[in-house]
Amino acid sequence: MTRTGAAPASAPSAAIIEPASADHAVVPTDLGLDVDTADRALLLGQWYGLRGLPDVYVSVVMPAAIARSLLDGRERTVNRLEPVESKALDYLVAFDLGKFDLGFALGTGHPRLGWSQRPPPASIDRTLPGPDGIDRAARSRSPAW
């Protein structure tokens, strides 16, 4: 299948997909986003621009299509997928945060940005100050895609 309506170079990098799934496309229904494609088919792992929303991108992926090298235990943070979840269709939306001014408010249940007591200890990476790699609300620049 020919890729049409691909996102501009400023979009995130495409997902690393198994070669056997590289040409697999889906036609999303009831997505509610006006994807900038010549047809409605979206190739798995590719990013597409949205009409009227510059610097916003959409992608679809099925975990079963992700490259085996990423899922076969190389990374200790990637758990094995069950059959149902590996066939789930996941919709992803990305925003170029360098083009938007976003704000946030600290929550009342866990007003810090460090690790919460809720996740299982095995899922906590103690080399990071928090789950997002930060532990303070100091303003910082977002990393490049």
Side-chain angles (χ1 to χ4, degrees):
M1 172 174 282
T2 304
R3 184 175 173 208
T4 60
S10 60
S13 300
I16 302 170
I17 300 292
E18 278 293 304
S21 298
D23 290 333
H24 186 82
V26 296
V27 178
T29 58
D30 301 320
L31 183 59
L33 299 172
D34 191 8
V35 182
D36 190 9
T37 59
D39 56 25
R40 294 190 22 88
L42 306 179
L43 291 171
L44 294 180
Q46 299 297 326
W47 289 96
Y48 296 87
L50 298 174
R51 288 186 188 98
L53 293 172
D55 306 307
V56 181
Y57 314 98
V58 67
S59 181
V60 294
V61 71
M62 287 192 313
I66 296 171
R68 294 280 87 67
S69 61
L70 297 176
L71 298 177
D72 284 342
R74 274 188 34 199
E75 298 288 332
R76 73 171 188 85
T77 57
V78 178
N79 295 326
R80 295 231 181 259
L81 298 171
E82 296 175 0
V84 171
E85 60 189 358
S86 59
K87 290 186 169 82
L89 185 59
D90 300 311
Y91 293 94
L92 308 169
V93 177
F95 301 83
D96 182 346
L97 294 179
K99 308 289 172 111
F100 295 92
D101 187 19
L102 303 177
F104 70 95
L106 294 175
T108 57
H110 181 61
R112 301 170 315 281
L113 297 176
W115 288 101
S116 166
Q117 298 304 313
R118 295 181 69 183
S123 68
I124 296 176
D125 182 348
R126 295 290 177 195
T127 64
L128 297 175
D132 297 313
I134 57 173
D135 61 356
R136 292 187 302 266
R139 188 176 181 101
S140 65
R141 292 179 47 125
S142 61
W145 298 108

